Amino acid sequence: MPNQHGAWAMLAVPVLVGALVSGVTWRHGLLLVTWLVAYLAFFAAGLWLRSGRKVRYLPPVRAYAVAAALLGAVLLLTAPGLLRWAPVYAVLLATSLASSVRRTDRGWLNDTVTVLAATLMTVVAAGLGTRADPTATALLGVGTGADRLVPPGAADPDVWLAAGLLTAYFLGTVPYVKTLIRERGRRSVLAVSIGFHAVLAVAALGWCVTSGADPEVVAVAVVAVGLLARAVLVPRRRPWPSAKAIGLGEVAATVVVSVTTLAVTL
């Protein structure tokens, strides 16, 4: 089983937000289960590759891969249009697995790629909703030429806004969590974390001004400033926060960001 406990929220939240933005259907349940099992296969494959392909790491790879393939086949039978996302995820998967081969899976590149793969599921899930294009589940979409290859959900600007907000938050957790665990005490990583969150806060405040202080956008700005304060203050605490405290803080922040994202996009 994966030991990266924070990954579960990053995997589930985008699917749930995308489903709520577009209207929940039974396909979303199947999508979520398939996505989680695929993550188990991905995690097991990463361990196998990092071990130098040792045989003892192979059984879970086979088991999870078979389960993910069966669930994926059922999902594609109900929504073959999801195949239009295949090229995007093939590139993200190849990049991440290459990092496992080089044993740089804890590096910045792989962390960024995994966040993008997870948060893009917001758009994928939206393509299966009740308010989505009714032809989105077909192998090819409406229109002619390149229009027919547009993946399900990709034509909805509100969904991209939701995906963008979640991506900004989860990308920020990468340096933030590093400042508390693996890179604790390193000034360069702390500077990256604070700088990233400062950019988000400035962007959110600018959006707040241009929107005429729309209440939902004000909420986004408040959350962004709060995340910046967290990035500045928590790593300076002594004694260092425990793993449990860090995890609970991430759960609370994820809930707040998710609710705020839904408020802006619904």
Side-chain angles (χ1 to χ4, degrees):
M1 291 297 292
N3 57 0
Q4 299 175 5
H5 305 298
W8 296 109
M10 190 172 69
L11 291 166
V13 165
V15 176
L16 297 176
V17 169
L20 291 171
V21 170
S22 65
V24 179
T25 69
W26 63 269
R27 286 189 180 90
H28 288 124
L30 180 57
L31 175 66
L32 181 58
V33 172
T34 303
W35 178 235
L36 294 178
V37 174
Y39 170 68
L40 294 174
F42 164 77
F43 184 84
L47 285 178
W48 176 60
L49 292 171
R50 290 196 300 277
S51 73
R53 301 178 181 83
K54 291 182 179 178
V55 175
R56 67 190 182 96
Y57 287 97
L58 194 54
V61 178
R62 286 197 300 258
Y64 288 133
V66 169
L70 291 175
L71 287 166
V74 175
L75 180 62
L76 288 175
L77 285 174
T78 68
L82 291 177
L83 281 172
R84 284 176 267 157
W85 284 108
V88 177
Y89 275 92
V91 172
L92 295 173
L93 178 62
T95 303
S96 188
L97 291 179
S99 296
S100 293
V101 172
R102 296 193 301 268
R103 297 185 179 181
T104 58
D105 52 296
R106 297 287 187 175
W108 295 92
L109 173 61
N110 190 53
D111 287 344
T112 301
V113 167
T114 52
V115 168
L116 293 177
T119 55
L120 188 57
M121 288 299 292
T122 311
V123 187
V124 176
L128 303 180
T130 58
R131 293 190 290 276
D133 180 350
T135 66
T137 57
L139 186 58
L140 294 176
V142 296
T144 58
D147 291 340
R148 305 195 70 188
L149 299 178
V150 175
D156 188 340
D158 286 338
V159 174
W160 281 111
L161 174 59
L165 292 173
L166 292 179
T167 300
Y169 164 65
F170 282 115
L171 282 177
T173 66
V174 173
Y176 169 69
V177 172
K178 286 182 184 293
T179 64
L180 301 177
I181 302 178
R182 293 184 177 274
E183 305 290 346
R184 189 165 63 183
R186 287 192 60 181
R187 293 181 179 274
S188 59
V189 179
L190 180 61
V192 170
S193 178
I194 293 174
F196 182 86
H197 285 92
V199 170
L200 293 186
V202 170
L205 290 170
W207 184 21
C208 183
V209 172
T210 57
S211 72
D214 181 85
E216 288 80 9
V217 180
V218 171
V220 172
V222 170
V223 171
V225 171
L227 292 174
L228 172 59
R230 183 182 72 160
V232 172
L233 299 175
V234 175
R236 300 179 186 277
R237 284 193 57 192
R238 298 295 184 275
W240 293 98
S242 65
K244 180 179 180 181
I246 295 170
L248 291 175
E250 286 300 294
V251 169
T254 300
V255 170
V256 171
V257 170
S258 300
V259 171
T260 306
T261 297
L262 289 170
V264 172
T265 54
L266 285 180

